[in-house]
Structures are given as C-alpha cells and as structure tokens.
Amino acid sequence: MAVTATTPATRPPVATSRTGAATVTAALLLLVAALAVVDLTQGTASVGAGEVWKALTGHADPADASVVIASRLPRMIAGILVGAMLGTAGAALQAVSRNVLASPDTLAVNAGSYLALGLAAVTGVSLPLLASSGVALLGGLAAAAVVLGLSGLGAGTVRLVLAGTALMLGLNAVTEGLLLLFPEETHGLYQWNQGSIAQNGFDGVAQLAPVGLAAVLGLLAVARRVDALALGDDAARGLGVPVRATRITVVVLAAVLAAAAVTLAGPIGFVGLCAPALVRALARRFRAFTRSRASLPVTGLTGAALVLGSDVLLRSLVPADLAVAVPTGVVTSLVGAVFLVVMAVRLKDTAAATAPDRLRIRSRAVFAGVTVVLALVLVGVVIAAVLLGDAKLLLGDVVNWAEGRAGRTVSFVLDTRVPRVLAAVLAGAALALSGTLIQAVTRNPLAEPAVLGVSGGAALGAVLLVTTVPTADSWGLAGAAFAGAALSSLIVFGLAARGGFQQNRLVLVGIGVATAASALISLFIVLTDPFNAVKALTWLSGSTYGRTMPDIVPLAAVVPLGAVVAVLRRAELDLVSLDGDTPRLLGIDLARERLGLLALGVLLSATAVAAAGTIGFVGLVAPHAARALVGRQHVRVIPVAMLLGAGLVCSADLLGRTVIAPAQLGAGMVTAMIGTPYFLYLLVRSRR
C-alpha cells in the first residue's frame, strides 16, 4: 500500500549552502547546552545555579557538590547520551527500511530487550552492566529481525507498525508474566521499563558511552551506502553497494545503540521516531541534511534535546518530590503518541478500506454443525474451569453447592471460582462481538479494540478510578471504563472517519491513542501507593482474580443486549461491511448506522475491560475464525464469534490459574501469547 506525505502547494526554496546547515547545527548545540544547564539546576535538593557552578569549579559545600557530581551531572549526561543514541538509531532504521515510522519502538526492539533482561533477572544472576547490554542487544536484535522479516523492508508503513505492535504486545505479556511469577527476582523491573535517566554515579555512562560512540562511527562509515539504498535496491547494486550486507550492518548497529540506551535508562519511548521526523523537516530546507553523514549527527542532537527537554518539562510542571518518581519515558511516550497521531492524520493513504474477507457462502448445515460443536466445547471448557484449580472438585460438589447443601470448603471454593468463570465467558463474548462490529463498520480486517486504543482508553478510566477511589463498586468501575473508552474512541474514529476509515490512518491513530493511554496508566501506577499499584497491575494483566457476582452484573446486562441489537441490525452490518455506496443507494443513513454500531462496540469492550481487565486479540481472532468457519453473513458470524471468544478467554483463564498453580497468570497474558502469532500470520497472509 502506498503512503505519501501531504505536499504543500508552494514549497520554499531549498538552501544549498553549508552555512545554513552549520547554523542549524550550532543552534541545536546551543539548545542542548541550555537544556543541560537548566536540568542541572532541577532536583529535590535546594541546590540552585550558583551552587551548581561552585560544585563544577570545585568551590562548593561538600553536600552540594555530592548532589551535583553524584546525581545531577550523571543524569544530565545520561539524558544527552540516551537521546543521541535513540535518535541516531531511529534515523538509521528509517533510512535502511525506507519507512518513516521505523524506530526502536515500532520494531519491538525495546520489548525484545525488556524480555531478555527479564529472563536474565529470573535466573537470579547479577550481570555486569556491559553483560546486561549484551543480553538486551540479543533480545532487541531478535525482535527487530522478526518484525522486519514479517513486514518486509519498505513494504508499507502500516504493516511494519502492525507487526511491531503485535510482537511488542506478545513480548510484554510474557515479561509481565515473569514480573508476577518472580516478584523478588524482577523487583524494580517495571519501574525501569518506563524509562528514567536518573543515575547513581558515572559508572553506567562511562561504560556505555564508548559502545554508543563505536556504533555511531560504524554508521557514519557506511553512510554513503545507506544513501545509495535510498535510490532503490537495483540502483544501489548498480553502484556496487552490497545491499543485503549493508542492511544487516545498519540494523545491527542501530540495535546496539538501542540496547545500550535501554540498558542505561530503560526504554525511553518514541525518541527514535520523533527526532528523525524533525530532521526530515529541516532537510526540506537544507539539502545538506539529506545525506546520512550530516543527518545522523544532527538527529542525535535532536534526540538529546528531546530527552533533556522532556526531563526539564517534567520537573518544571510536577513538584520535585513527585518528579523523582515519574520516569522520563512517560513524558516522551506521551509526546511521541501525539506525534504519531499527527503524522497519521497528515499521511495520504491510497489504500481504501476493504472488506474483511472474500465472500464465502456456507450451507445452513455447516453453520448448525459448527454452532453445536462450539457450544459443546464451551460447555466442556466451563465445566473444566469450574472443577479444576488449586482445589479439584467433582460435579456432585457443584450440584450440592447449587442446592445450598455443600460444605464450607466447597462453598468457599465455588463462591470464588464461579464468578471468575462467568466473568471470563462473558468478557470473551463481549470482546468478540465488539471486534466483529468494529471490523464490519471500518471494513478493516486488522481492526481490534486493543489495537485501536478502545481497550486502552477503558483501562485508563478504570485504573484512574482504582488508584484514586479503591472502594469503587463494579458499576462505578464500568462507568469509568466506558468514559475512558468513549473518549479514546471519539478521538480514534473521529480522526479516522475523514476519508472513510482508511486502513493506515485508522490503525496508526489507534496505536497512538493506545500508547498515550498506556503512558498515562504507567504514570498513575507509579504515583499511587504500592497496594493500589499491585491491584492495578494484576487487573491490567486480564486477570479475573477476586471477581464476585456483583462485579459481573454490568457485563451480564450488556452482552445479551448487545447480541440482540447486533442480530437485529444484521442486514445493515452486511451492507456496511461491503462498501460505502451500497448502503446509501438502499436508503441507509451510513453515518448514523456507523455511529450506532461503533458505540455498541465501545460499550461492549469497555464493560469487558471493567469486568476482566485488558484482554487483547480476542476481538481480532474470534471474528476472523468465525468468518472462516461460517462465511461473512453476520447473522451467522455473531453467534459463532461470541462462542469462540467465550471459549478462548475461559480456556486462557483456566490455563493461567492451573498450569503453574498455585501461581497464576492473567487471561490477558495467555490470549496475547496465543493471539500474537495469529496476528502475525494474518500479516504474512495479506502480504502474499
């Protein structure tokens, strides 16, 4: 699919002199220097500019000198180093892939490094800093190789972002599982994952600065080959450039930079995306920046300015005692999310929204057979989920409990287990129906509540309530989740509706909103008290732990209502999913129909999030599988998808609480591990 940036009607003349480029570079150096000076004066201790100057010149009080030399100066240098490495890595990845959205974030390099370090932490072995950087490098390289292999170099903006986002969700699900299973071994890893440039001394900076410098010099050495790749593979080969070797070299060097930055400060999000984009804007006016040897250092300076600027902004707006707890990566992720949304809105997408699948006609016998089989499978899974767990029961125990004749132990087990099973079943059905509606209305086969930011908005609203009003009831949680989902949906679908829900714009805006929601969730979790933080983290993993009957009442009310409305609107769903013209020719108010169906999908997703936390990929997998089994008629897709979603989440919840009992994994983690490979398979199939 072709993606082109908007082109102004008149473009200012391009400056060809080196003087203009040198002036811009000098201005960036002055900006970084000014931000560095301001950053040195910020902190919890009452050490101002005068004390900082005395400390740097060796005339300060020992206490003030200790604050400046041991804490603030290493933090400032780390900010410059991390920003420069991430900015340079992003520029190199975008150049070699010819994709303006390639970065350590969208290629899942950060997620791969996070998982690799998590696995290393679980072993209990204390690794030196350089060894940790090597482990992070291996994880980041592996993730980047998978994403680039699945998306194809230069194969399209949205494909790369989708592959990277899906892999990131899967890898993060595994890492979060490690955090819950090995809390002592992985202590502090969650806070580290938010990205913070705070340092204890110069050890980290001194060890990783040479690594970053060597990688940058390596990129500058192959800069001319990278410029040749911009002409196309055939042209580059004609100039004698080894295309494959150059790409591998650049990806490895960029991964080294990203891994070093991750090891030093954790994942600082979106610097590798924003910095190259800002330099590309400069390159339209200064031709010198179109060459890699000039653009890479300038992009590094821009990245340093972004990281230091984010740290300065954070400490200027937030009280000093709170700013210490807020990671710098939260600020850069918020800025990057807004940046991604703006880029998505400005991109011209020549790929129109398409129908989810080719038209398939299945007989009524096939539909009836599939429905009966899935219903029987769901009944079997529900029975197994009720009987199995940390305590195994018999069907007779369940019958006695239902009749009120069970013993105290059996009653306690079933009083806690049955609500969990019902929550999983209803949440799965709700997410599957929500995904079916959203895919039909947007005519996007890769649309899904989690990918489009709907689930993220719902989670943000619920986490905000959990961390501020811990005693809120289930209806309050459902209301907060719906408010968050409604706000995120208004942004995503409102911006994507311009031009008819085109695939690139819809998905990129959704990912941007989901990223912003995730950053805000991390902010609330970091700032709240530890008890509420653990509660929120457990709930975010998609866990049904601690659910009671009152908690599932909102979901039990919404799911049947949503199913009835969807079935009644089955003809409109079939028409809306075909194209934009047929419904209008038949007298259907397309805008109102879309709005109503999307609102129903948002309500279903929000209620499921409120009852069972964030559970991803169910809204993608279930509708696809249903259409493959019974065709595209929604009167058949709806019940089959709901049965598949209910069975998938119930099975995931059962596996999560039995496979490694007494420890437990959230159903959301298990579905992410299952859904990620399927999502990537869909990308490969669509590429063919």
Side-chain angles (χ1 to χ4, degrees):
M1 59 185 67
V3 179
T4 57
T6 55
T7 304
T10 59
R11 181 174 292 176
V14 177
T16 58
S17 67
R18 295 182 178 180
T19 305
T23 302
V24 172
T25 305
L28 279 173
L29 283 170
L30 289 175
L31 175 61
V32 172
L35 290 172
V37 170
V38 175
D39 196 61
L40 283 175
T41 63
Q42 295 177 317
T44 55
S46 57
V47 178
E51 290 79 7
V52 170
W53 175 253
K54 291 179 180 179
L56 295 178
T57 56
H59 298 92
D61 179 84
D64 294 341
S66 176
V67 170
V68 175
I69 303 301
S71 177
R72 293 190 184 179
L73 192 60
R75 183 189 72 195
M76 180 268 290
I77 296 176
I80 295 175
L81 185 60
V82 168
M85 290 192 292
L86 289 176
T88 306
L93 290 172
Q94 291 181 16
V96 77
S97 66
R98 298 196 293 272
N99 193 316
V100 296
L101 291 181
S103 73
D105 309 276
T106 54
L107 264 65
V109 173
N110 289 342
S113 299
Y114 184 30
L115 175 58
L117 291 173
L119 291 172
V122 167
T123 63
V125 178
S126 180
L127 296 175
L129 191 64
L130 288 179
S132 298
S133 182
V135 171
L137 171 62
L138 293 176
L141 272 177
V146 171
V147 174
L148 291 174
L150 291 173
S151 63
L153 292 171
T157 298
V158 76
R159 186 184 302 278
L160 181 138
V161 176
L162 279 172
T165 302
L167 187 60
M168 177 191 68
L169 290 173
L171 295 179
N172 283 343
V174 176
T175 310
E176 289 168 5
L178 294 177
L179 295 182
L180 292 176
L181 293 177
F182 304 95
E184 295 182 2
E185 293 83 351
T186 59
H187 178 69
L189 200 59
Y190 179 84
Q191 285 77 8
W192 170 88
N193 185 49
Q194 309 312 310
S196 174
I197 60 175
Q199 302 290 311
N200 291 319
F202 287 96
D203 290 345
V205 172
Q207 292 183 49
L208 293 176
V211 176
L213 179 61
V216 170
L217 293 176
L219 289 173
L220 292 175
V222 298
R224 290 187 177 180
R225 295 183 180 181
V226 174
D227 291 337
L229 290 180
L231 303 175
D233 291 356
D234 294 336
R237 291 190 184 96
L239 295 174
V241 174
V243 174
R244 183 179 179 84
T246 301
R247 280 183 170 146
I248 293 175
T249 300
V250 171
V251 171
V252 170
L253 291 174
V256 168
L257 287 171
V262 165
T263 307
L264 184 62
I268 304 287
F270 285 96
V271 175
L273 174 69
C274 298
L278 295 173
V279 175
R280 276 197 308 275
L282 291 174
R284 298 190 186 103
R285 298 184 61 87
F286 304 100
R287 188 171 298 168
F289 293 144
T290 60
R291 295 189 294 270
S292 295
R293 284 194 174 177
S295 65
L296 287 176
V298 172
T299 307
L301 282 174
T302 307
L306 286 174
V307 173
L308 279 182
S310 298
D311 195 52
V312 169
L313 179 65
L314 170 66
R315 294 172 182 272
S316 300
L317 299 179
V318 180
D321 55 338
L322 291 179
V324 174
V326 180
T328 308
V330 170
V331 182
T332 60
S333 292
L334 286 172
V335 173
V338 174
F339 195 87
L340 182 59
V341 171
V342 171
M343 287 185 67
V345 172
R346 295 184 62 186
L347 287 176
K348 283 186 177 179
D349 188 353
T350 59
T354 57
D357 279 310
R358 291 175 296 178
L359 182 62
R360 293 186 178 93
I361 303 297
R362 297 283 192 264
S363 67
R364 292 183 179 179
V366 171
F367 167 62
V370 169
T371 305
V372 171
V373 169
L374 289 177
L376 292 175
V377 170
L378 178 59
V379 171
V381 170
V382 169
I383 292 174
V386 172
L387 298 181
L388 300 179
D390 50 359
K392 296 181 181 179
L393 303 177
L394 300 174
L395 282 174
D397 296 325
V398 179
V399 173
N400 291 334
W401 173 78
E403 295 176 351
R405 296 186 290 106
R408 181 178 300 178
T409 302
V410 172
S411 296
F412 174 79
V413 171
L414 290 177
D415 285 343
T416 56
R417 188 178 295 174
V418 170
R420 295 189 60 170
V421 175
L422 292 177
V425 170
L426 291 172
L431 291 172
L433 181 55
S434 176
T436 301
L437 296 174
I438 291 174
Q439 288 180 17
V441 172
T442 62
R443 298 193 298 278
N444 190 330
L446 297 177
E448 198 261 346
V451 174
L452 297 185
V454 178
S455 296
L460 175 60
V463 167
L464 179 59
L465 189 69
V466 167
T467 54
T468 55
V469 188
T471 58
D473 61 9
S474 55
W475 285 102
L477 195 64
F482 179 73
L487 179 60
S488 63
S489 301
L490 186 65
I491 297 172
V492 173
F493 296 123
L495 293 175
R498 298 166 54 189
F501 293 105
Q502 293 172 337
Q503 289 186 15
N504 287 1
R505 181 175 295 157
L506 176 67
V507 174
L508 294 180
V509 172
I511 291 175
V513 171
T515 301
S518 178
L520 290 173
I521 288 171
S522 300
L523 178 63
F524 291 135
I525 289 177
V526 169
L527 293 180
T528 191
D529 65 81
F531 176 78
N532 288 337
V534 172
K535 182 179 178 181
L537 281 174
T538 303
W539 177 80
L540 283 171
S541 68
S543 174
T544 57
Y545 177 79
R547 295 297 178 266
T548 61
M549 285 298 184
D551 294 331
I552 63 174
V553 169
L555 192 56
V558 169
V559 171
L561 176 63
V564 170
V565 172
V567 171
L568 291 176
R569 310 302 294 177
R570 59 189 182 278
E572 288 78 4
L573 275 171
D574 289 337
L575 292 172
V576 168
S577 66
L578 289 176
D579 54 50
D581 297 327
T582 303
R584 292 191 182 96
L585 293 175
L586 295 175
I588 296 176
D589 188 338
L590 186 60
R592 187 177 65 180
E593 201 66 39
R594 275 179 165 171
L595 180 62
L597 293 172
L598 285 175
L600 179 58
V602 170
L603 176 62
L604 288 163
S605 178
T607 312
V609 169
T614 51
I615 300 177
F617 292 108
V618 177
L620 173 79
V621 174
H624 269 279
R627 288 192 294 268
L629 290 171
V630 298
R632 284 191 57 248
Q633 290 180 300
H634 282 86
V635 70
R636 299 179 179 181
V637 170
I638 290 169
V640 172
M642 293 179 69
L643 288 171
L644 285 168
L648 177 59
V649 176
C650 189
S651 300
D653 183 65
L654 174 61
L655 290 173
R657 58 186 173 83
T658 57
V659 172
I660 54 174
Q664 298 187 21
L665 290 176
M669 296 180 183
V670 180
T671 57
M673 296 175 195
I674 297 172
T676 297
Y678 187 80
F679 191 91
L680 298 177
Y681 160 74
L682 290 177
L683 284 177
V684 172
R685 190 181 69 172
S686 63
R687 180 182 175 186
R688 292 172 184 168

